[in-house]
Every structure is written in C-alpha cells, then in structure tokens.
Amino acid sequence: MRRRPEPTAEGERAEQPVDSRARFTGRGWAFLGAGALCLLLATWLGRKDVLALALFLGGAPLFAALSLYVVKPRVLLKRGVDPALVTAGDSAVVRLRVRHRTRRGGTVTGAVAVHETVPEPLGGDRELSVEAGGEPAAYTVRPRRRGVYALGPATVRVADPFGLAAELLDASERTSLHVAPDPVELPEISADRLRESGTDPSRTAMPQPGPDNVTTREYRHGDPMRRVHWAASAKHDRLMVRQEDPRSTRRLTLVLDRDETSWPGERLWAGVLPSTAEFEWAVSFTAAVLEHLTQRETAVHALDAFGRPLPRGGEDDDVAPARTRATAVTDDGAEDARHGLARVRPEPAPAGAEDGVPAEDALADRFDRDGLVHPVLLVSGDLSAAAAERVLGGTQRAAAGSAVLVASSPDRVPDGAEVLEAAGWSVVVVPASAAPEDAWAQLGTGARTTGAVR
C-alpha cells in the first residue's frame, strides 16, 4: 500500500493517486492457488468432494472482493497533533482516529491498517493499526529543525473479515506541524553596545532594571514562571511576579530581512518552506535575540525589511492586515513571537503599493507610524548596496544602527556592509557556520568579521 513519492518544487512529495480497486491479499492468492490445485485433483480423481473444496477455495476470494465492491466501505480519519506548535528538539504526539462505515451508513468495527505519510526529517512514513471507532493510534515525532512540516495524507487498507481481499482508500488531508527555532543562550554584553534607548524622547539610555525600580504583582494564570519574584513571594506568602516599570523599559527595533535577493545561497527546505542555510542561521539568531532581550526587560519591535511585523504563533497573516498588527514583543509575548518564526521564509519584494504605501517607502512608513526612534539591529544576508540604502532611508529616525550580515560564502563581504558603516552603523559579517553567540558578542566592538569571514 506504499505510495511512490516524488519531489516537487514546493518541497513536498507528490503522491501518486491510490488505486482504490479491491485486490486479493496474499491469503486470497493462496486460496485461489489451492482452489486451482484442488480442481486439477478433482478432474484427475473424479471426486465430487474435492471439486466442492476447489469451488469453495476459489470462490471465497472472489466473493470477498465482490463484497467490498458492493458494500463500498467509507473511512473517515481524523488527525490531531499535540502540540501543533513545538520548538526544535521537542516532541509532538500525532493521534489518528478512524471511523469505518458502509455505503448504507452502518458502522464497521475492527482494526484497519493505516499508511501515514511523514516527512523524512520527522522519521519517515509510519504503518499503524487503528481500531475503527475505538482508541486512537499514536506516534511521536521529534523535529530537529525549524519550519512547517506536512503530516499526511494517509491511506487506509480495508479488508474483508477473512483477510482475502483488501481495498486502499484515501482518508485524510495534510496537517501542518509548526516548529519554532530553539534559541541559543547569548552572552551578556553591556547595554551601550547596541545603544538601546529608554522611553525618553531624548533617546538617552535608561539604567538597567534593578531592585529599586522593579515592581511586583500577584501571579496570574499564564504568567511565565521565569518572572516569578521569589523574594517577594516569600514575603507576601503567595506567588508574586515581576512587573515592568515603564520608566526602566529599554527598546530596540529588530529587523529581519526576508527579501529573497539577500539570500542567494543554495536552496534547502525548512519543512515545506524554501530557505537557505544562511537564512536559517538568521532566523535562529533572531530567535535568540528576542529571547535574550525580552528576558531583560527590553521591548523588541520585531519586523522585516518591508515594514511588516514578523508573524506570531497563532496569527493568520492573510486575515490580519500588516498595518493593524503590532510589532512590539515583550517578555509575555516572546514565546508567541518565536513560534511565529516557524513560518518565515525568503520572499520577493512586494509588487507596487501595499495599504497605499509604495514598497520602497513601507519601512519608513512603519517607523513613522509606530514612532520607532530606538536603535536598530538588522539581520540580513548578502545585502546589496541599493538595499542598504533603502534600509538607511527607512530607519533614519532611529538613534543608532547595528547589523549582522550572513555571507553566502566564507570569503565574501556583502556590498551593503560598507554603505552601512559609512552611515555610522556597527556591522558584523559572519558565515552560516559561525556560532550565533560569537556574532552577538562581536556587536559594537568595532570588528567587522567573526567566524570564518575575512
């Protein structure tokens, strides 16, 4: 019952149509062979009892195949993934439930064999026995890389009660599993490396939050456990959490360049999403920066080079217009923002105007509308000089700028690096083999390269 997969341009496997005609099983062919042998013996020996046995052995598989054609079984398979959003390295449980009915609406019980199509990075296809109308069958997947993975479709093998004939049925559509990048731990660097600013319009950096400006409140359901203030909890004899003091909150604008022209490296797949090794490094670095800064009372405005907010875990980008979506990510929303990174991929620049704003002015419009005067950290690839000029024009309201550029080859320095440095930006160029923590530690030191780039 295995289908023959073929690669497609979208990174999925093309599934050949299932032939749903009833076919004899191995047992059915054995019955037919035994019936033919008994027929020869009956002819040679002239025994009617052997002839009756031959007719039974040969007719049973034919009757079984005819019964499947007449009954025309219908199978409904439901697939559930728990959780549907996971972090790379974590496991998810996939459960399959089957309902088996006849054409007249009768319910059929008993186990059916299910062939589940599973991508190779998740362990490959599975063969399961599922009790129709009973407990679901389950299997576990553990994705190692971020992306969007398609589970299914499934093919169900339905047989007659004696296992003489079987029919293959398509029973389920694909289900998506979203895998967020696992953020690495970044080293501590001084706040002035990125020249992060507080909420003061003068753009001067506010002090780091400390015991004097941290307030607490009672724990509410859903608060991250890392925000629990244990000293205050012991004092009040109930769970207390830290609450940001707006006067101490620092802000940074994080821009992930999703323009496909900045990522010319060799194509690879993040599940069903087209990507490159350099872009995957950039996404992992973005996740690490979001996690690192939001844990340190920094509000991060996360967007792309087209001025659009980066997607969130449960947000439908097609339904919610870019102009109405918020860019700010705080400690409470960091996990949701990280899950949204499961869906990002290199994309062509928007054609024409979007929401009435020309594509080349979209980034500047976002900075003006949201009042983003905070320092900028740009994460890009082989940034061209023209693209760097567009970024500078769009972020001219910002207090300062830093950039991490992921080169497509170890000895290449993107043309946009000099353009950004000429404008006073701090630029670090890395290969996709570099460690994200090394690139982070290099920011603001005055050195352009880290890792293998020279």
Side-chain angles (χ1 to χ4, degrees), residues 204-287:
T204 57
M206 299 295 288
Q208 288 273 14
D212 296 333
N213 54 24
V214 171
T215 60
T216 59
R217 59 170 172 80
E218 192 169 351
Y219 175 85
R220 300 170 189 159
H221 179 71
D223 286 333
M225 290 303 295
R226 62 172 177 256
R227 300 190 64 184
V228 173
H229 195 294
W230 297 109
S233 299
K235 179 179 179 180
H236 293 85
D237 200 24
R238 60 181 182 275
L239 212 54
M240 306 292 290
V241 296
R242 292 180 289 108
Q243 180 166 275
E244 296 177 2
D245 183 347
R247 295 170 299 173
S248 66
T249 300
R250 292 178 291 133
R251 297 183 181 274
L252 180 82
T253 302
L254 178 61
V255 180
L256 173 63
D257 187 3
R258 291 199 280 171
D259 190 342
E260 64 182 8
T261 60
S262 298
W263 309 102
E266 182 179 354
R267 173 170 288 189
L268 55 82
W269 297 95
V272 299
L273 303 178
S275 185
T276 65
E278 294 75 26
F279 187 76
E280 291 304 300
W281 190 99
V283 173
S284 297
F285 182 75
T286 300

Side-chain angles (χ1 to χ4, degrees), residues 355-374:
D355 294 331
V357 180
E360 61 272 17
D361 298 332
L363 185 60
D365 178 74
R366 169 64 69 174
F367 270 68
D368 290 339
R369 188 170 64 252
D370 291 2
L372 301 181
V373 298
H374 325 294

Side-chain angles (χ1 to χ4, degrees), residues 149-427:
Y149 295 86
L151 301 172
T155 303
V156 178
R157 181 175 179 269
V158 178
D160 70 284
F162 301 102
L164 301 177
E167 186 172 358
L168 302 183
L169 302 173
D170 279 328
S172 178
E173 299 296 331
R174 289 180 172 88
T175 302
S176 294
L177 172 65
H178 291 218
V179 183
D182 185 19
V184 300
E185 186 174 348
L186 299 180
E188 297 290 345
I189 63 175
S190 60
D192 59 356
R193 287 274 200 96
L194 298 177
R195 285 169 278 183
E196 299 162 295
S197 71
T199 54
D200 188 343
S202 65
R203 307 177 191 173
T204 57
M206 299 295 288
Q208 288 273 14
D212 296 333
N213 54 24
V214 171
T215 60
T216 59
R217 59 170 172 80
E218 192 169 351
Y219 175 85
R220 300 170 189 159
H221 179 71
D223 286 333
M225 290 303 295
R226 62 172 177 256
R227 300 190 64 184
V228 173
H229 195 294
W230 297 109
S233 299
K235 179 179 179 180
H236 293 85
D237 200 24
R238 60 181 182 275
L239 212 54
M240 306 292 290
V241 296
R242 292 180 289 108
Q243 180 166 275
E244 296 177 2
D245 183 347
R247 295 170 299 173
S248 66
T249 300
R250 292 178 291 133
R251 297 183 181 274
L252 180 82
T253 302
L254 178 61
V255 180
L256 173 63
D257 187 3
R258 291 199 280 171
D259 190 342
E260 64 182 8
T261 60
S262 298
W263 309 102
E266 182 179 354
R267 173 170 288 189
L268 55 82
W269 297 95
V272 299
L273 303 178
S275 185
T276 65
E278 294 75 26
F279 187 76
E280 291 304 300
W281 190 99
V283 173
S284 297
F285 182 75
T286 300
V289 171
L290 278 172
E291 188 79 3
H292 181 81
L293 293 181
T294 53
Q295 286 185 9
R296 288 156 180 79
E297 307 293 346
T298 300
V300 180
H301 293 265
L303 57 148
D304 64 17
F306 305 136
R308 302 175 303 192
L310 295 184
R312 304 296 175 91
E315 187 176 281
D316 190 339
D317 295 339
D318 295 330
V319 174
R323 293 176 64 90
T324 63
R325 301 200 306 270
T327 60
V329 180
T330 60
D331 191 22
D332 292 337
E335 184 176 5
D336 194 40
R338 201 163 43 77
H339 280 304
L341 292 176
R343 308 203 306 271
V344 298
R345 63 182 180 87
E347 300 176 6
E354 184 174 351
D355 294 331
V357 180
E360 61 272 17
D361 298 332
L363 185 60
D365 178 74
R366 169 64 69 174
F367 270 68
D368 290 339
R369 188 170 64 252
D370 291 2
L372 301 181
V373 298
H374 325 294
V376 177
L377 173 59
L378 170 68
V379 184
S380 183
D382 274 351
L383 189 70
S384 66
E389 292 287 358
R390 288 196 297 271
V391 170
L392 291 176
T395 61
Q396 58 185 346
R397 290 172 53 94
S402 304
V404 175
L405 306 182
V406 193
S408 58
S409 61
D411 56 352
R412 174 171 172 76
V413 176
D415 296 337
E418 293 186 1
V419 175
L420 296 178
E421 287 178 331
W425 284 43
S426 169
V427 178

